[in-house]
Amino acid sequence: IPLSRTTRCTCIKISNQPVNPKFLEKLEMIPASLSCPHVEIIVTMKKSGEKRCLNPESKNVKNILKAIRKERSTMSP
Amino acid sequence: IPLSRTTRCTCIKISNQPVNPKFLEKLEMIPASLSCPHVEIIVTMKKSGEKRCLNPESKNVKNILKAIRKERSTMSP
C-alpha cells in the first residue's frame, strides 16, 4: 500500500513573464523532494520585494543563472 | 568624492568543502549589489538546516546547479 503523502510545493503559479536579472535581489532553487516532486525556482524582485516562481526549464532562467554567476566584482556603484 | 557605503555581504566565510546536491534543502543566489560587490551562493542542508556559503566559481557549485536543474519528476519516494 503506497503511503499517501501531503504534497506541498512552494509555488502555486509559475510566471511566464521573463524577468530581467538586473532587477533580482535573490534567486532560490529548491530541489525536488518528498514534499514537492519537482525543482522550484523562486526569485525576489529588488524594489518591490515581490516573489515570483519561474519555470526551471525556461530560457529565461538559464539566462538569469548565467548573468548572476558572471557578475563578480564588476558591479559599478 | 566617492560616497562611502557600508558593505554588508551575507557570507563571512566561504566553505571549500564540497557539498553533495542530494543533501541540499535549498540553494540561494544573491547577485552582486551595492551592499555586496560579489555574487553569493548560500546552501541550506537538509537534515541540520545548517547554512553554508560556497564559492560561486567552484566546480562543486556548477555541479550542484546542474544536478538540481536536472531533477524533475524523477524523484522516487
Side-chain angles (χ1 to χ4, degrees):
Chain A
I1 305 164
L3 289 173
S4 112
R5 289 182 200 272
T6 317
T7 306
R8 259 263 200 65
C9 298
T10 307
C11 295
I12 299 168
K13 196 178 88 171
I14 285 178
S15 164
N16 281 314
Q17 216 187 321
V19 163
N20 185 332
K22 281 188 189 169
F23 302 140
L24 292 190
E25 188 177 298
K26 190 164 83 171
L27 179 144
E28 291 166 272
M29 286 176 88
I30 303 176
S33 69
L34 293 177
S35 41
C36 182
H38 55 266
V39 51
E40 299 189 286
I41 306 270
I42 304 155
V43 294
T44 309
M45 308 305 290
K46 251 179 205 168
K47 302 228 165 142
S48 58
E50 187 205 341
K51 291 195 174 209
R52 271 194 223 173
C53 290
L54 302 180
N55 178 354
E57 300 181 43
S58 67
K59 191 119 202 204
N60 185 218
V61 164
K62 269 178 212 163
N63 290 338
I64 292 171
L65 290 176
K66 216 191 277 175
I68 296 181
R69 296 180 56 231
K70 266 195 187 159
E71 290 167 7
R72 273 158 212 165
S73 20
T74 52
M75 181 78 189
S76 55
Chain B
I1 305 162
L3 288 173
S4 114
R5 289 182 200 270
T6 317
T7 306
R8 258 260 201 66
C9 298
T10 306
C11 297
I12 298 167
K13 197 178 88 171
I14 285 176
S15 163
N16 280 315
Q17 217 187 318
V19 164
N20 185 332
K22 282 188 188 168
F23 301 138
L24 292 190
E25 187 177 299
K26 191 164 84 172
L27 179 144
E28 290 166 273
M29 285 177 89
I30 303 175
S33 68
L34 292 178
S35 40
C36 182
H38 56 266
V39 51
E40 298 189 287
I41 306 270
I42 303 154
V43 293
T44 308
M45 307 306 289
K46 252 180 204 166
K47 302 229 165 140
S48 58
E50 186 205 342
K51 291 195 174 208
R52 272 195 223 172
C53 290
L54 302 180
N55 178 354
E57 299 181 43
S58 66
K59 191 117 202 205
N60 185 218
V61 165
K62 268 178 215 165
N63 289 338
I64 292 171
L65 291 176
K66 216 191 278 175
I68 296 181
R69 295 179 58 231
K70 267 195 187 159
E71 289 168 7
R72 276 160 210 163
S73 18
T74 53
M75 181 79 189
S76 54

